Amino acid sequence: MTDLPLAQTVRRAGDWRGVAEIVTLDYDTRFLRRKRLATDTGRPFVVDLEKTTSLEDGDALELDDGSRVVIRAAEEDVLVVTGKSIPRLAWHIGNRHTPCQIDTDRLLIQRDPVIRRMLEQLGATIAEARHAFTPEGGAYGHGRTHSHDHGHSHSHSHSHSPDKFHEHDAEHDPDETVDAG
């Protein structure tokens, strides 16, 4: 197949020690199963995981030659969201299934003009910046929440009262409930 070192094991941050090379990846690239990568110093290797995995800053890939490559979150274009009601703004972001990094006094999301416009209408202050982006991993442990424009389709259901209908459309009014009957 290849003569490159092979990574088939993930060691989560805090579950490994020692010296490691570094690979710096953005949020989207840290979600992978099989890919050829190179460390920040240029050493190539192949990732071949059993299933698609969300790698977080500080996790390490263990190579078949015994070495490790630690994952670092790359700086990327984000929106820094602040305002009077961070919990309310976070709720609206989460309701759109948008990855969100929650800090004490601010939220970070990937740049998205539709979500930006919605948040500004809710009274948020928005600034463009470059930061390492490490959003929350989801309610059930390690993993991802993701927006509906992530490159593959899926379906899921939500429970709602029988007389209410919920659309997954980032452009609908976030406070609007549409009568289905």
Side-chain angles (χ1 to χ4, degrees):
M1 184 167 141
T2 179
D3 292 333
L4 297 177
L6 185 63
Q8 293 182 303
T9 303
V10 175
R11 302 285 180 208
R12 294 298 179 185
D15 289 342
W16 66 275
R17 295 181 193 270
V19 177
E21 291 191 62
I22 298 170
V23 63
T24 304
L25 304 171
D26 67 16
Y27 175 68
D28 290 331
T29 308
R30 293 192 317 264
F31 193 59
L32 63 102
R33 179 173 182 264
R34 188 177 293 146
K35 187 169 184 134
R36 183 183 190 276
L37 296 174
T39 65
D40 291 358
T41 60
R43 180 181 177 214
F45 65 99
V46 174
V47 177
D48 185 17
L49 302 175
E50 183 177 322
K51 61 184 179 180
T52 304
T53 303
S54 181
L55 300 172
E56 304 301 329
D57 187 75
D59 289 347
L61 295 167
E62 191 168 89
L63 305 183
D64 59 358
D65 65 5
S67 63
R68 292 191 178 121
V69 177
V70 67
I71 306 300
R72 287 290 170 237
E75 286 193 356
E76 53 190 293
D77 294 333
V78 295
L79 296 176
V80 179
V81 180
T82 57
K84 292 181 182 178
S85 180
I86 293 291
R88 180 173 182 254
L89 297 171
W91 184 90
H92 282 280
I93 291 168
N95 193 45
R96 300 316 178 278
H97 302 274
T98 299
C100 182
Q101 179 176 328
I102 301 171
D103 295 338
T104 304
D105 59 348
R106 68 182 187 172
L107 306 170
L108 272 67
I109 61 171
Q110 293 173 310
R111 288 190 187 170
D112 180 319
V114 173
I115 300 295
R116 179 184 187 142
R117 189 169 48 250
M118 175 199 68
L119 292 169
E120 287 172 337
Q121 289 173 351
L122 292 168
T125 301
I126 310 290
E128 294 184 3
R130 288 191 56 80
H131 288 287
F133 184 56
T134 56
E136 293 295 313
Y140 299 102
H142 229 74
R144 282 200 184 212
T145 57
H146 46 253
S147 66
H148 287 240
D149 61 352
H150 48 75
H152 68 271
S153 63
H154 68 280
S155 63
H156 58 272
S157 62
H158 296 275
S159 297
H160 297 281
S161 62
D163 63 335
K164 303 297 179 194
F165 176 75
H166 174 84
E167 289 184 7
H168 282 280
D169 179 354
E171 299 204 64
H172 77 282
D173 180 344
D175 296 316
E176 177 184 3
T177 304
V178 179
D179 189 351

